[in-house]
Amino acid sequence: MADDLEQVGEVRRLVEAVAAFDDIEDDEACALALTRVLADWPGYQARLRELRQQRVNALKKQGRTWREIGELLGGISAARAQQIGTGQSGAQRRRVGREAQGPAGEQERPSGVETTRP
């Protein structure tokens, strides 16, 4: 297990690759390169989430608790670690929360409570 993520070769190389955009002297070439990377980023992000989910589930199968996995992932909650294991993203959690609240502006008020506008 790596104690320092900066020492993990893949992470270090990714950070260095992102930093290398600063070294591109030609503004046009740099802007074009960044545009291409950003256009492809959603696919990379989805693949990274899939890989993380697979590894989290492997840790769970090895007998780790969700709390232990959460700590290993940087101190996130056990509940969030479990959500990662099921493939639930932050956007999905927010959408579920909004759906549970109902349409905007249609929150239930206790009976007998009137609303006044200034």
Side-chain angles (χ1 to χ4, degrees):
M1 179 173 74
D3 293 326
D4 183 4
L5 287 180
E6 290 298 319
Q7 298 306 312
V8 177
E10 291 78 9
V11 174
R12 189 178 63 252
R13 285 192 297 275
L14 179 59
V15 170
E16 289 170 354
V18 171
F21 286 104
D22 284 336
D23 296 334
I24 299 174
E25 292 182 16
D26 183 308
D27 292 331
E28 184 177 319
C30 184
L32 178 60
L34 288 165
T35 298
R36 288 180 177 165
V37 169
L38 289 169
D40 291 340
W41 185 249
Y44 295 129
Q45 192 174 25
R47 181 64 184 135
L48 291 170
R49 282 192 181 112
E50 289 171 10
L51 289 169
R52 180 178 63 172
Q53 180 183 359
Q54 290 170 3
R55 296 303 178 124
V56 162
N57 287 326
L59 290 168
K60 185 64 177 159
K61 286 180 184 176
Q62 294 170 18
R64 300 280 183 99
T65 66
W66 290 119
R67 179 183 224 165
E68 290 171 334
I69 294 169
E71 285 298 317
L72 192 117
L73 295 178
I76 64 173
S77 70
R80 179 64 189 123
Q82 188 174 14
Q83 289 168 344
I84 290 168
T86 63
Q88 192 175 22
S89 72
Q92 290 168 323
R93 291 191 326 275
R94 288 187 295 277
R95 185 175 58 245
V96 168
R98 283 192 306 270
E99 289 170 357
Q101 292 175 358
E106 292 186 17
Q107 297 177 349
E108 290 187 31
R109 290 182 208 94
S111 61
V113 175
E114 294 183 25
T115 309
T116 58
R117 293 187 185 199

